[in-house]
Amino acid sequence: MKHLDAIIRKAEELTAIFCFSAMSIITLVAVFFRYVLNSPIIWSEEASRYLMVWGICIGISIATEKKAHLGIDIFVSFAPQKLRRVLEIISGILLTLIFAMVLVLSIIFVNMAVRTGNVTPLLRIPFWMIYLALPIGFALSMLRSLQVLVKIIKGDKEGFEEVML
């Protein structure tokens, strides 16, 4: 199971790195072409936007694994020490349930996009391929949230100590 987890973690990291790197390179090249060569790359903004969507959706999962969602941890960190563990468990359960609900909604959303058959204006990519980032990202986030919840229940702080408040 740890081997599968390592593969998924590496895939998340590589996907996010690729998306944000490609987005940055495309944007820099587009700026150069527009303002230096006076010849804009018309598809660059669209490609950058969709790469950012994918990078952010995968990044949510990475942040969840590292317990780096500030909004959830801030309330727990201000609680008395005896209450913290209970609040962390409740917070983990709520976060997992939220990811599960949004996962179901995003699957419905992708199914609607598949049925419409719409494509992006310039790149002609089916929109469902762009929107697929949502259920993949939320499924991974739900998985990571469950992993964090198990660590909290077991009392294992390893892996996310450095980002806790």
Side-chain angles (χ1 to χ4, degrees):
M1 192 64 156
K2 287 189 179 203
H3 184 66
L4 178 62
D5 184 50
I7 291 171
I8 292 171
R9 181 179 298 111
K10 188 55 101 175
E12 287 171 334
E13 291 169 356
L14 290 175
T15 302
I17 289 168
F18 170 78
C19 288
F20 288 121
S21 298
M23 180 186 75
S24 299
I25 291 167
I26 289 170
T27 301
L28 288 171
V29 169
V31 167
F32 177 78
F33 269 70
R34 177 177 298 268
Y35 294 108
V36 176
L37 301 180
N38 207 19
S39 177
I41 303 172
I42 59 171
W43 53 265
S44 62
E45 187 269 335
E46 190 174 285
S48 294
R49 183 181 333 132
Y50 301 142
L51 286 165
M52 183 170 48
V53 167
W54 271 90
I56 288 171
C57 287
I58 300 301
I60 291 169
S61 173
I62 294 169
T64 301
E65 180 186 24
K66 296 183 183 303
K67 206 175 172 198
H69 290 290
L70 178 64
I72 293 170
D73 290 336
I74 197 151
F75 295 113
V76 174
S77 66
F78 286 123
Q81 189 65 34
K82 291 181 180 180
L83 189 57
R84 280 188 190 172
R85 188 158 186 261
V86 173
L87 289 176
E88 284 180 335
I89 292 170
I90 292 170
S91 173
I93 291 169
L94 288 174
L95 186 62
T96 303
L97 290 174
I98 289 169
F99 283 139
M101 289 187 326
V102 178
L103 171 62
V104 170
L105 293 173
S106 66
I107 290 170
I108 293 168
F109 184 65
V110 170
N111 283 332
M112 288 181 356
V114 168
R115 285 195 301 264
T116 64
N118 291 339
V119 296
T120 62
L122 296 171
L123 296 173
R124 311 302 295 166
I125 299 170
F127 270 113
W128 69 264
M129 292 177 79
I130 308 302
Y131 299 150
L132 195 59
L134 296 168
I136 290 172
F138 289 121
L140 289 169
S141 297
M142 188 178 74
L143 171 72
R144 297 304 185 188
S145 180
L146 281 170
Q147 289 175 328
V148 169
L149 182 59
V150 168
K151 281 183 178 182
I152 291 168
I153 291 171
K154 287 182 174 180
D156 181 15
K157 298 282 186 186
E158 184 180 324
F160 48 76
E161 276 183 78
E162 67 278 357
V163 292
M164 291 179 60
L165 294 175

